[in-house]
Amino acid sequence: MGSGIAQAAAVAGFAVVVRDVSEPALRRGEAAVRSSLDRLVAKEKLGTAARETALTRLSWTSELATLADCGLVIEAIPEDTALKRALWQELDGRCPPATIFASNTSSLSITELAAATGRPDRFIGLHFFNPVPLMPLVEVVRGLTTSAETFDAALAFVRRLGKEPIVARDRSGFIVNRLLVPYLLDAVRALEEGTGSVADIDRGMQLGCGHPMGPLMLLDLVGLDTTLSIGEILFQEYREARFAPPGLLRRMVAAGFHGRKSGRGFYDYTAEPPRPSDLTL
Ligand SMILES: NC(=O)c1ccc[n+]([C@@H]2O[C@H](COP(=O)([O-])OP(=O)(O)OC[C@H]3O[C@@H](n4cnc5c(N)ncnc54)[C@H](O)[C@@H]3O)[C@@H](O)[C@H]2O)c1
């Protein structure tokens, strides 16, 4: 998500500093941006000059201190409240008071993350969708303490990216994941219960409901580890069975099947085209 957000901002004209924890992670992010820009050029959605300019606007670093000059910091690290709060605390000490902080969290409370900083009024949720360069939506989430100025600046930023903002309250999962995640988890339950095969569950929702992608392939795109964390956080918040991650999802994450990013999830991405994974259920 981080590389996608960085790419969208660079294409829109912003100078972007991308910070990750390790060199391999940075190289993965950079490679993802390059191949995404190449695909946009091949589809004639972007010119070659615009691709080159976007690449020059991006810089890559593992040094947190490099973010000190940024007017807006968008965090897209794993969906873990302790990890996010620790990072925000550290950033709070390094960035000038005027810098706006935004989290791309899918399910954590914006108010709680904001409270980890000394600038809860300049903290907001900007929830992007995967893949960021193609998906037009951003959920803009106001915490209890977010100021009107921060909200207006965030809306203006989203519009400058050429994206469409919707406004969501600070409730776990906001609008889209509150509706989407129970559906995705139900698809895993249907598979676990033997209702249909991976291919048939996905084809069913594509051809029967007009979805561009079936739920199991979408889970692979989102990341099974990320979805497991989101389901756990939503369940903790609402205590409703529909948000509880099914056992199969938990076992797949334990086995290292994290979806497309790990090469294997409900589908095996080492095959071209990807084929349903051989899973012993
Ligand atoms: N996957 C999706 O479809 C999706 C969609 C919308 C929002 N989100 C949210 O975006 C965030 C990231 O999700 P993802 O799927 O991109 O996760 P990911 O695991 O694919 O990527 C996380 C990245 O963060 C880096 N990282 C870990 N700790 C860090 C730290 N302390 N400082 C800087 N970088 C660090 C990792 O090296 C990795 O590159 C989560 O909050 C998730 O809920 C995900």
Side-chain angles (χ1 to χ4, degrees):
M1 288 302 291
S3 62
I5 296 166
Q7 177 184 328
V11 169
F14 292 95
V16 185
V17 182
V18 187
R19 189 259 172 173
D20 207 311
V21 279
S22 69
E23 279 304 316
L26 285 166
R27 297 291 80 83
R28 272 198 304 278
E30 198 173 354
V33 169
R34 281 185 185 276
S35 73
S36 169
L37 288 172
D38 287 348
R39 280 195 301 277
L40 291 175
V41 169
K43 287 183 191 159
E44 295 180 0
K45 288 185 175 165
L46 192 74
T48 48
R51 171 184 59 193
E52 296 315 309
T53 313
L55 286 170
T56 62
R57 292 192 188 114
L58 285 158
S59 57
W60 305 82
T61 181
S62 54
E63 294 298 327
L64 198 65
T66 321
L67 300 183
D69 293 332
C70 296
L72 169 68
V73 177
I74 304 176
E75 163 272 315
I77 71 168
E79 192 74 341
D80 177 314
T81 191
L83 203 64
K84 286 190 194 283
R85 284 178 64 99
L87 177 64
W88 281 123
Q89 264 162 10
E90 214 180 332
L91 280 165
D92 198 34
R94 290 174 187 262
C95 296
T99 301
I100 293 178
F101 286 171
S103 178
N104 184 47
T105 180
S106 304
S107 52
L108 293 167
S109 160
I110 295 302
T111 308
E112 252 181 75
L113 295 176
T117 73
R119 64 185 79 201
D121 54 324
R122 264 153 294 135
F123 198 107
I124 196 156
L126 285 181
H127 184 231
F128 290 81
F129 290 80
N130 195 359
V132 181
L134 302 182
M135 299 295 278
L137 184 68
V138 180
E139 286 180 302
V140 180
V141 187
R142 264 178 112 153
L144 270 184
T145 49
T146 310
S147 70
E149 292 75 21
T150 301
F151 178 66
D152 291 344
L155 276 183
F157 171 73
V158 169
R159 293 199 173 105
R160 265 196 69 189
L161 294 185
K163 303 225 177 266
E164 180 97 20
I166 58 171
V167 181
R169 289 270 178 86
D170 187 18
R171 306 283 187 276
S172 195
F174 315 127
I175 296 170
V176 175
N177 277 331
R178 185 182 175 142
L179 301 177
L180 177 67
V181 172
Y183 156 68
L184 296 179
L185 298 178
D186 244 357
V188 181
R189 286 186 195 101
L191 178 69
E192 204 170 15
E193 289 162 12
T195 310
S197 65
V198 168
D200 282 352
I201 289 172
D202 275 357
R203 245 197 325 255
M205 294 311 291
Q206 283 182 283
L207 302 183
C209 295
H211 291 191
M213 192 184 277
L216 300 172
M217 191 166 268
L218 180 54
L219 276 159
D220 277 355
L221 178 68
V222 171
L224 304 194
D225 53 337
T226 301
T227 309
L228 175 61
S229 301
I230 294 170
E232 278 170 343
I233 294 161
L234 286 166
F235 180 71
Q236 218 174 350
E237 172 88 7
Y238 298 111
R239 305 281 170 182
E240 291 175 28
R242 65 199 173 111
F243 294 113
L248 175 59
L249 183 67
R250 215 175 279 285
R251 288 196 297 281
M252 288 182 71
V253 172
F257 300 166
H258 291 184
R260 197 175 287 197
K261 65 184 168 190
S262 72
R264 190 166 172 194
F266 292 103
Y267 292 84
D268 178 352
Y269 296 90
T270 58
E272 191 46 52
R275 58 164 182 258
S277 285
D278 201 7
L279 299 169
T280 312
L281 297 179

